[in-house]
Each structure stands twice: as structure tokens, then as C-alpha cells.
């Protein structure tokens, strides 16, 4: 069983009283007293569920961080060609809000073992949280989300301001054109037709 768990990566190994636990994000093994086995397995399953959601979120956020260098100019200076990116920027902004909501839901569940678990199982959960450096991972993810949220909200603001400015500018140009034609017709009417 140790080889099976280790085939998934270097396992975390814990000794809790007389119980031995080996854990990786996809495999686990508990060797110990039968009367505590179910509770320890429940602890591992619960922890693994939330840790895997955190891992998926980290991967998705990391993928978005790769776009920062491509999109950072949108936070301060945009042009007509950049408006083509507006729907993508809106989509990323929506995704970031869903990431933030997901993170807000899983972070407290990772930090504190469920009270439904026994003391030994909660200890296992807490040990995995510490050994897996999940507090550091949560802090890093929170910072990454904040950077991305600031960037894409700012980009969204700049793009919308530029879009409204462009439409307003066009409308003003049309109004000025109509007024110029009206003035020209008035002048023609006064000087040409009036004589």
C-alpha cells in the first residue's frame, strides 16, 4: 500500500497515536485501529475534496496570470483596436468573481476541520493543512486574485470609458456636421435666394 500511495508522488506521512496515515492529493492509506478508521478516512476525504478544489482554482488563476503581460496596457491606455478585447476582458472579470466566490467558500473549510469529525480526525485534518502549507497557498492565491481583479476591473473601466468617449465624439461630430449644413443652407438662402 505504501508503494501504491507513493506511486502518486511523495506522500505526507503522519503518526496519530498508533495510527499511520499516508496521503497524497489522489491517494491515501490508513493503518490503525478499526474503530477509528472510518473517522480518519472521512477526515481524509473531506480534506482532499477541499484541497483539490483549491488546487484547481490555483491552476485556473495561474493560467490567467499568463495573460497579464498581454493585457496590462489596457489599464491605462486603450485605442480603437483594443475594443475588440472588451468581451474577453468582461469574460475574465466574470470568471474572477466566480473564482473569488469559490475561494471564499473553500478557504474557511480548509482552515478549520469540520466539527462533525472526532478529535483524532480533526487533528489529522489540521496536520494535513499545516504540512501541506495550505495557509501559504491560500495567502498566495488571495494575492494573485487581487492583482487580477484590479487589472481586469481597471481594464474594463478604461475600455468602457473609451467606448463611451468614441460614441460621444461621433455623435458630437454628427451634430456639428448637421449644424454646419444647416448654417450653409441658411447662408445660401439669405445671400443666393434672397437676392
Amino acid at each position: 500500500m505504501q508503494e501504491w500511495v507513493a506511486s502518486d508522488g511523495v506522500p505526507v506521512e503522519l503518526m496519530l497515536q498508533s495510527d499511520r496515515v499516508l496521503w497524497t492529493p489522489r491517494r491515501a492509506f490508513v493503518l490503525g485501529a478499526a474503530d477509528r478508521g472510518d473517522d480518519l478516512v472521512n477526515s481524509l476525504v473531506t480534506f482532499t475534496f477541499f484541497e483539490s478544489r483549491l488546487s484547481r482554482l490555483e491552476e485556473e488563476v495561474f493560467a490567467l496570470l499568463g495573460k497579464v503581460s498581454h493585457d496590462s496596457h489596457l489599464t491605462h491606455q486603450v485605442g480603437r483596436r483594443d475594443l475588440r478585447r472588451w468581451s474577453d476582458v468582461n469574460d475574465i472579470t466574470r470568471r474572477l468573481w466566480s473564482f473569488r466566490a469559490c475561494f471564499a467558500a473553500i478557504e474557511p473549510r480548509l482552515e478549520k476541520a469540520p466539527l462533525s469529525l472526532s478529535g483524532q480526525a480533526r487533528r489529522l485534518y489540521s496536520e494535513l493543512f499545516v504540512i501541506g502549507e495550505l495557509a501559504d497557498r491560500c495567502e498566495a492565491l488571495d494575492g494573485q486574485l487581487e492583482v487580477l481583479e484590479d487589472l481586469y476591473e481597471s481594464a474594463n473601466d478604461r475600455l468602457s470609458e473609451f467606448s463611451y468617449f468614441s460614441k460621444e465624439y461621433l455623435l458630437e461630430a454628427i451634430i456639428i456636421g448637421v449644424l454646419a449644413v444647416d448654417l450653409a443652407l441658411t447662408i445660401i438662402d439669405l445671400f443666393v435666394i434672397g437676392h
Side-chain angles (χ1 to χ4, degrees):
M1 290 307 289
Q2 184 171 334
E3 289 176 14
W4 174 75
V5 173
S7 68
D8 186 47
V10 178
V12 170
E13 184 171 356
L14 295 167
M15 290 298 296
L16 303 166
Q17 293 179 349
S18 60
D19 301 319
R20 181 175 181 220
V21 176
L22 296 173
W23 178 87
T24 67
R26 288 187 292 264
R27 295 182 181 174
F29 172 67
V30 177
L31 179 63
D35 61 329
R36 290 188 300 268
D38 287 343
D39 209 24
L40 293 176
V41 168
N42 285 338
S43 179
L44 288 169
V45 168
T46 304
F47 178 82
T48 301
F49 173 76
F50 290 115
E51 191 279 338
S52 69
R53 289 188 66 193
L54 179 68
S55 292
R56 266 186 275 140
L57 195 53
E58 288 171 320
E59 289 171 11
E60 292 186 61
V61 168
F62 185 75
L64 279 181
L65 284 170
K67 295 181 175 217
V68 167
S69 62
H70 176 69
D71 293 338
S72 61
H73 75 282
L74 297 174
T75 63
H76 58 280
Q77 187 175 17
V78 296
R80 190 165 302 284
R81 289 188 316 158
D82 294 317
L83 288 176
R84 286 181 265 159
R85 293 268 307 125
W86 198 4
S87 66
D88 292 336
V89 169
N90 273 330
D91 181 53
I92 291 170
T93 304
R94 278 192 295 275
R95 285 178 58 205
L96 285 168
W97 279 110
S98 74
F99 292 167
R100 176 60 77 182
C102 181
F103 181 62
I106 63 174
E107 183 184 27
R109 288 177 173 87
L110 275 169
E111 290 178 349
K112 189 168 184 177
L115 295 175
S116 59
L117 298 172
S118 71
Q120 187 76 348
R122 282 198 310 274
R123 181 172 167 232
L124 170 61
Y125 194 100
S126 298
E127 292 282 338
L128 288 171
F129 180 81
V130 170
I131 291 171
E133 299 178 342
L134 268 67
D136 293 340
R137 287 172 57 190
C138 286
E139 186 178 338
L141 182 60
D142 184 49
Q144 292 166 348
L145 280 170
E146 191 172 325
V147 166
L148 289 168
E149 288 165 346
D150 288 348
L151 185 144
Y152 285 100
E153 285 178 24
S154 180
N156 232 332
D157 290 345
R158 295 301 157 268
L159 288 166
S160 65
E161 287 168 4
F162 183 80
S163 173
Y164 297 136
F165 169 77
S166 296
K167 289 174 185 172
E168 192 175 293
Y169 183 76
L170 178 62
L171 184 60
E172 287 174 2
I174 290 171
I175 290 170
I176 290 171
V178 167
L179 290 173
V181 168
D182 185 48
L183 180 63
L185 290 175
T186 302
I187 291 172
I188 290 172
D189 187 40
L190 285 175
F191 290 108
V192 175
I193 299 176
H195 282 71

